[in-house]
Amino acid sequence: MNTIAKRISDFLKDFPPFNMLPKDELLAICKAVDILYLEKDTDLFITGTPIKNQFYVVKDGAIGLFEEETNTLVDECDEGDIFGLRALMRKDSYKLTAKALEESIVYSLSAELFENYITTNSEASAFLMTSFVSNTRYSEPKPQNQSTEKTQDFFEEQSIDFSKNPINCSPETSIKAAAIIMTHKRVGSIIITENNKPLGIITDKDLRIKIATGIISTEEPVTKIMSSPVITYPENITVAEAQIAMLKYKITHLCITKDGTPNSDLAGVLSEHDIIVVRENNAYALVKEVKRTSTPEQLQQVRKRAEHLLKRYIKQQIPIAFATKILSAINESITQKIIDQAIKEMPTPPPTNFAWLAIGSQGREEQLLLTDQDNAFVFNNVDENEYEKTQEYFLTLSKKINQKLEIVGFELCPADMMASNPAWCLSVSQWEQQFKKWITTPDKDNLMLCTIFFDFEFVYGDKSLVSSLAESIFESIESRDIFLTYLGLNALKNPPPLSFFRQFLVERDGEHKDQFDIKARAMMPLVDAARLLILSKNIKTHNNTIVRYEKLAELEPQNKEVFLACLEAFKNLLYFRTQQGLLHNDSGRFIDLQTLSKANRLELKSCFKAVKEVQDLIQTRFKLSQFL
Amino acid sequence: MSWFRKKVYPPFWKSYKECFRGKQNSEFKNIRFIVFDTETTGLDIKKDRILSIGTIAVIDKTIKVSDNLECYLTQDLFNTETVKIHGILKQGTIHKVTEQEGIIQFLEHIKNAVLVAHHAAFDVAMINQALKRLNLPKLKNKVLDTGHLFVKSKLDTSKKHFSLDQLSHRFNIPQHDRHTASGDAFITAILFVKLLCILKKKNTVISIAYLQRSNERIGL
């Protein structure tokens, strides 16, 4: 009997990696636990001291890990968090200092038992590895090519569509005749067959290397220049197999035969191009389908299929930046199609040039799930006496577009941030005045409008109207430095909940009581910070938050780490929100914290760290301490 | 005349006694404290009996889960009234040992450690009573009382008797397994470590003598 060890295992069993161990193994570990009590501000270990043969789990309280030199808080560990393990694995001295941020009780676990039970358990050690990567910024950078690898994984098991009617000719055919067939059929290769069995192949490359150079006459038979024997595969070849074969033989075409050997009937030809098509097939097919549809109802079907595609992307852990690009492209082409249809329904063509703008998250191309519409309309400047009539026309058009988009599944914006609202359907000069007004009187409402409308993205119409709008924003900002200060304060209004999981910072009342608002508390601060910083650099071409941070990292190498952390955090949050939204069939905005796994919590926590860092940077840069 | 004859003690007592020979470890950091608790059939030292003993070691403010003892004793005397407190059934499935065996295990485990208990006088008296039944002398260990240490901390001068429940509540110690010997020993151990920290802040050097010093016996 060891009631105390049992009690400790009862606590640890709820936290990874301990929850991955069999009961008896966990109990064996717990029997050897030392329990430390740390008063606030006492050190558990100090940078540079040799490691103890122990690692630690926080039972109560919070332990801060500090970088000694700068005394910066690198990580905050609370209930269930593990620390001191990295030094142990590295087997040298502590790189950080562990200090109790508040009165804490810490379990000290033996390194030997850890090695016996945890590192031998593949699931548990995999967890530790990933948590090391995600939990602190003190991690080795992820390999750059990871994202492309993941994208490919998804398709690799898929069997490939190849051309089922390969162009072929007999061995007696002249090179010239074969070239004529290839040109006529618009193909890059021709198979030479005998009794329907593949003998050899000629590709565009052969014609270039062997014929165009004048080495061989075009009157010679094809056998003179064909590559032979051909590389053959059966019909169920997968993308991966095809890629490997092409790499292995350094060729760009494979022959598909009935039984996969050169001695059976030719069934098709598979070119490098087919692989490229397959890779982009799904999204590509959807965009193509958008072009063929004629009604909003049909577009609704396409949008639903896009949702399925998104689900699969999330399930397959396709990088979120990729998924966002695809989904935004689909949304954009749907909107363009809708606008085309709406214009056709108008009794007269548009009286002047115009542009349709996506604003807010749509403008930033960060919208994965179906949410409500956010859009605006801008038209060319017209004579004063024409203005009312022109606006009238575009309002009617906008209303049609908004209604059709609603049919597709984009609900009408409850705050009426839509092009059919006369306030958001203006001429270029009216818009310029509007922006100027917001910038010169940045009260709370105007700041909010800035955060929505400054992230506009051209979707349809005359793009030149949009660039002059962007320019006018910068002109106004330049003449009013103080505006960035206000925008900075706005960006800091939601400080990150660093001690989040002990004092659940959740919504206090309303429909979402006791839930965490991931949008307002984690994503918007990152979005706001990126917008402010990129505006302060006079850059308008970058709307997307991920792209903005990429650009900022490039522009400010000294702050690269902070921006890359923000970028990662934003990707994670977007991914997470999308996942939650698909799971609960909603916007994914409100999260019930009780349902989160420890791994998710760790990830969320590292996101907050990034928010904190970029907010600190903004506070210093825009000298905001005096206002806070 | 029997009172002149030197008593002959069993080997386990001899080896227990051996632990106190020679120079005792005096550096505070190295002192092995054994925090313990007994569950009993009642509060009458003469009549009631020990049902279980739970201990846990503390060295250098660190609670050592590996250094513990948890044993249950068979009873002739059974008090149905206290069952609802300690939850130990007369029969039941828990492995039990005789009182003598329990005492042997306890002595072998504690050696010359400094004993710590909440209202220690009672637990010590219960053990001493059991020793007496085995014709053995009293415990030789030094004893500290967490109730007394709290009074010494002067954090609360309202009264001199604070229950383990009151103090664990005050010091935010979760009351898991309360009223099992091991559970109470564990809670007491945390309380003890917290109190050591507080007392250390008030006095740069703390010694066993300082912690023991008291004008009154409390807890009985």
Side-chain angles (χ1 to χ4, degrees):
Chain A
M1 268 300 266
N2 192 333
T3 309
I4 298 162
K6 179 87 183 36
R7 175 59 60 192
I8 293 166
S9 82
D10 270 351
F11 170 77
L12 290 179
K13 75 172 174 17
D14 290 333
F15 299 97
F18 305 105
N19 59 354
M20 298 158 185
L21 301 179
K23 257 189 188 167
D24 52 329
E25 291 185 4
L26 179 56
L27 198 62
I29 291 177
C30 293
K31 274 182 182 162
V33 163
D34 281 352
I35 301 164
L36 312 176
Y37 168 71
L38 297 167
E39 284 178 288
K40 189 172 187 294
D41 293 332
T42 47
D43 295 321
L44 180 55
F45 53 75
I46 298 171
T47 306
T49 53
I51 53 157
K52 296 179 188 119
N53 216 12
Q54 303 273 314
F55 72 103
Y56 306 95
V57 181
V58 181
K59 165 64 171 70
D60 286 312
I63 302 294
L65 299 176
F66 291 85
E67 198 180 358
E68 186 73 26
E69 267 177 36
T70 52
N71 199 30
T72 41
L73 182 64
V74 175
D75 196 6
E76 185 180 322
C77 304
D78 56 35
E79 197 176 296
D81 284 343
I82 296 175
F83 65 99
L85 197 51
R86 202 183 303 271
L88 204 58
M89 287 180 160
R90 222 177 27 227
K91 300 202 192 314
D92 64 17
S93 58
Y94 289 110
K95 288 274 180 280
L96 300 171
T97 293
K99 188 197 282 292
L101 299 172
E102 54 189 66
E103 187 185 38
S104 303
I105 287 179
V106 171
Y107 290 160
S108 167
L109 280 70
S110 121
E112 284 88 12
L113 287 171
F114 170 79
E115 280 186 16
N116 286 347
Y117 295 124
I118 299 178
T119 47
T120 55
N121 180 313
S122 59
E123 195 192 356
S125 50
F127 165 79
L128 284 177
M129 285 307 145
T130 48
S131 73
F132 276 173
V133 182
S134 67
N135 192 21
T136 70
R137 301 241 324 276
Y138 251 68
S139 57
E140 290 71 38
K142 291 180 194 174
Q144 284 295 310
N145 57 358
Q146 197 188 32
S147 59
T148 46
E149 260 172 31
K150 274 188 180 166
T151 326
Q152 285 166 12
D153 279 350
F154 176 49
F155 300 104
E156 272 177 350
E157 294 305 307
Q158 200 174 314
S159 65
I160 194 166
D161 257 350
F162 50 84
S163 154
K164 302 262 178 0
N165 299 305
I167 305 307
N168 55 340
C169 63
S170 68
E172 296 79 32
T173 316
S174 73
I175 295 168
K176 188 176 174 182
I180 290 168
I181 297 170
M182 286 166 72
T183 307
H184 186 65
K185 300 279 186 188
R186 294 186 190 174
V187 292
S189 66
I190 189 164
I191 312 279
I192 293 89
T193 53
E194 199 160 37
N195 301 326
N196 206 26
K197 293 180 181 59
L199 270 186
I201 184 169
I202 293 175
T203 66
D204 279 347
K205 200 174 157 192
D206 296 316
L207 297 176
R208 184 181 81 227
I209 293 170
K210 297 168 187 166
I211 303 300
T213 49
I215 294 170
I216 293 162
S217 158
T218 55
E219 301 303 326
E220 299 274 0
V222 284
T223 45
K224 195 91 184 175
I225 63 162
M226 71 179 183
S227 306
S228 180
V230 289
I231 306 300
T232 55
Y233 274 86
E235 290 172 290
N236 58 359
I237 184 171
T238 65
V239 177
E241 282 175 311
Q243 281 176 312
I244 291 165
M246 287 180 188
L247 283 172
K248 191 168 153 193
Y249 300 106
K250 295 194 175 66
I251 53 176
T252 53
H253 293 75
L254 301 175
C255 279
I256 306 298
T257 59
K258 288 287 174 208
D259 70 359
T261 71
N263 304 319
S264 68
D265 282 358
L266 180 68
V269 63
L270 196 160
S271 69
E272 210 175 20
H273 179 74
D274 293 323
I275 295 175
I276 296 166
V277 168
V278 153
R279 256 195 233 161
E280 283 150 20
N281 187 30
N282 299 293
Y284 176 78
L286 281 176
V287 174
K288 242 168 111 178
E289 187 138 345
V290 168
K291 297 213 163 90
R292 279 202 298 269
T293 56
S294 51
T295 67
E297 287 76 12
Q298 286 172 327
L299 285 168
Q300 187 191 12
Q301 291 308 309
V302 177
R303 188 61 182 80
K304 275 187 184 152
R305 279 172 54 199
E307 199 98 328
H308 286 299
L309 184 66
L310 175 62
K311 257 182 210 168
R312 223 171 57 216
Y313 282 165
I314 295 294
K315 207 171 140 201
Q316 302 278 348
Q317 302 202 317
I318 297 289
I320 197 74
F322 174 80
T324 318
K325 268 183 205 150
I326 299 294
L327 265 288
S328 296
I330 293 170
N331 284 347
E332 197 180 287
S333 62
I334 288 175
T335 312
Q336 286 163 349
K337 188 74 187 180
I338 291 276
I339 298 172
D340 274 338
Q341 289 172 359
I343 291 173
K344 273 184 204 147
E345 288 174 20
M346 293 296 282
T348 56
T352 182
N353 289 356
F354 66 90
W356 181 270
L357 306 177
I359 56 173
S361 65
Q362 279 169 7
R364 290 191 304 273
E365 302 193 332
E366 286 159 12
Q367 206 177 49
L368 283 158
L369 301 154
L370 275 177
T371 56
D372 50 330
Q373 301 183 34
D374 286 312
N375 40 55
F377 205 94
V378 53
F379 51 89
N380 217 344
N381 291 330
V382 290
D383 283 347
E384 217 171 303
N385 49 8
E386 292 284 312
Y387 192 87
E388 209 171 314
K389 230 179 79 192
T390 312
Q391 194 192 31
E392 198 70 26
Y393 176 93
F394 286 125
L395 280 172
T396 315
L397 176 63
S398 296
K399 197 160 202 158
K400 279 181 188 289
I401 298 169
N402 288 148
Q403 281 166 352
K404 285 174 192 288
L405 283 173
E406 191 190 5
I407 298 172
V408 175
F410 298 97
E411 278 176 40
L412 297 177
C413 175
D416 209 7
M417 299 288 181
M418 293 186 294
S420 56
N421 180 343
W424 318 131
C425 178
L426 304 170
S427 70
V428 175
S429 60
Q430 289 291 318
W431 267 119
E432 284 170 0
Q433 278 182 35
Q434 181 64 271
F435 284 144
K436 196 169 185 174
K437 204 180 137 204
W438 287 340
I439 289 167
T440 48
T441 45
D443 58 28
K444 198 173 150 237
D445 289 343
N446 286 351
L447 275 173
M448 200 248 325
L449 292 168
C450 288
T451 63
I452 297 169
F453 283 93
F454 281 12
D455 292 340
F456 63 76
E457 180 69 20
F458 169 81
V459 174
Y460 188 102
D462 181 355
K463 201 167 183 175
S464 66
L465 300 177
V466 178
S467 4
S468 65
L469 267 191
E471 275 160 35
S472 79
I473 290 179
F474 287 115
E475 274 167 32
S476 302
I477 290 177
E478 246 170 87
S479 60
R480 290 276 303 175
D481 304 355
I482 188 78
F483 173 74
L484 287 181
T485 308
Y486 282 106
L487 206 57
L489 285 171
N490 184 64
L492 301 187
K493 70 177 186 284
N494 270 317
L498 255 192
S499 58
F500 182 61
F501 289 110
R502 270 168 309 116
Q503 304 152 20
F504 278 25
L505 199 80
V506 291
E507 303 313 304
R508 278 171 206 276
D509 38 42
E511 192 192 339
H512 300 288
K513 194 170 176 294
D514 296 335
Q515 289 184 321
F516 179 69
D517 184 344
I518 191 175
K519 181 184 168 189
R521 301 218 184 262
M523 297 174 82
M524 286 321 287
L526 286 170
V527 169
D528 287 341
R531 180 192 308 105
L532 167 67
L533 291 165
I534 209 89
L535 280 178
S536 75
K537 301 254 170 221
N538 274 348
I539 294 170
K540 177 66 191 91
T541 44
H542 298 67
N543 266 350
N544 181 270
T545 302
I546 295 171
V547 178
R548 278 173 172 168
Y549 280 121
E550 275 170 3
K551 186 73 188 169
L552 287 165
E554 183 189 312
L555 291 172
E556 293 181 21
Q558 72 277 22
N559 293 317
K560 192 174 163 195
E561 268 199 43
V562 178
F563 295 138
L564 292 183
C566 288
L567 184 151
E568 277 308 312
F570 190 75
K571 279 187 193 169
N572 281 339
L573 290 165
L574 195 58
Y575 202 96
F576 192 71
R577 183 178 168 188
T578 307
Q579 208 176 22
Q580 291 281 320
L582 289 172
L583 198 67
H584 302 113
N585 215 6
D586 58 18
S587 72
R589 178 171 174 175
F590 294 96
I591 293 164
D592 183 358
L593 292 175
Q594 307 289 357
T595 63
L596 293 185
S597 68
K598 181 71 188 172
N600 281 151
R601 288 174 181 221
L602 286 177
E603 269 179 31
L604 265 187
K605 220 171 91 173
S606 71
C607 293
F608 297 141
K609 261 176 238 155
V611 175
K612 169 100 173 65
E613 282 176 23
V614 77
Q615 289 196 344
D616 286 349
L617 189 145
I618 286 173
Q619 194 174 327
T620 320
R621 179 163 307 174
F622 298 95
K623 302 183 181 66
L624 300 175
S625 320
Q626 50 184 327
F627 298 96
L628 294 171
Chain B
M1 300 244 267
S2 66
W3 58 83
F4 281 127
R5 205 168 61 215
K6 202 177 174 211
K7 267 197 170 176
V8 179
Y9 292 124
F12 69 86
W13 181 262
K14 281 183 189 157
S15 50
Y16 166 67
K17 223 175 115 184
E18 268 305 295
C19 301
F20 293 88
R21 267 174 169 255
K23 199 167 176 282
Q24 296 294 300
N25 206 331
S26 60
E27 198 172 346
F28 200 84
K29 206 170 109 236
N30 299 330
I31 293 173
R32 178 167 172 262
F33 293 94
I34 290 291
V35 186
F36 80 110
D37 181 65
T38 57
E39 289 298 311
T40 59
T41 54
L43 296 172
D44 187 324
I45 286 167
K46 294 248 162 64
K47 240 172 61 198
D48 283 307
R49 293 291 186 271
I50 298 170
L51 287 165
S52 65
I53 307 172
T55 80
I56 190 154
V58 173
I59 298 172
D60 192 20
K61 290 194 287 182
T62 301
I63 300 171
K64 302 277 187 187
V65 177
S66 53
D67 190 357
N68 84 326
L69 174 75
E70 186 167 333
C71 80
Y72 296 85
L73 310 186
T74 48
Q75 302 310 321
D76 297 325
L77 189 127
F78 192 75
N79 183 348
T80 45
E81 278 305 295
T82 55
V83 172
K84 55 178 178 275
I85 298 176
H86 51 69
I88 302 169
L89 300 175
K90 188 175 183 187
Q91 300 303 320
T93 52
I94 297 174
H95 173 71
K96 293 189 180 120
V97 296
T98 60
E99 186 173 82
Q100 177 174 351
E101 176 59 25
I103 289 296
I104 293 173
Q105 284 185 14
F106 182 70
L107 294 180
E108 275 176 356
H109 170 66
I110 63 171
K111 300 194 173 71
N112 65 345
V114 174
L115 297 178
V116 181
H118 195 71
H119 300 154
F122 172 74
D123 299 278
V124 171
M126 285 306 287
I127 302 271
N128 282 340
Q129 221 35 96
L131 287 168
K132 196 174 171 186
R133 281 191 289 277
L134 300 170
N135 292 314
L136 292 169
K138 289 180 176 178
L139 284 173
K140 303 171 73 66
N141 306 64
K142 287 174 181 157
V143 179
L144 298 180
D145 180 345
T146 43
H148 166 59
L149 292 181
F150 177 67
V151 173
K152 227 178 167 60
S153 75
K154 299 200 174 77
L155 288 175
D156 189 335
T157 50
S158 62
K159 50 181 182 167
K160 284 189 174 158
H161 191 102
F162 295 88
S163 71
L164 187 58
D165 281 335
Q166 285 170 324
L167 292 187
S168 54
H169 187 256
R170 182 178 182 126
F171 287 95
N172 264 326
I173 304 167
Q175 301 212 349
H176 294 307
D177 310 307
R178 179 84 175 93
H179 296 299
T180 67
S182 265
D184 283 357
F186 185 51
I187 293 168
T188 310
I190 298 174
L191 176 63
F192 175 57
V193 172
K194 289 193 176 192
L195 287 169
L196 280 185
C197 289
I198 291 164
L199 291 167
K200 184 120 191 198
K201 257 191 217 162
K202 303 198 166 186
N203 310 270
T204 40
V205 185
I206 47 172
S207 64
I208 298 298
Y210 164 76
L211 296 175
Q212 269 183 314
R213 203 173 303 140
S214 167
N215 296 325
E216 301 148 78
R217 274 164 60 93
I218 51 170
L220 245 187

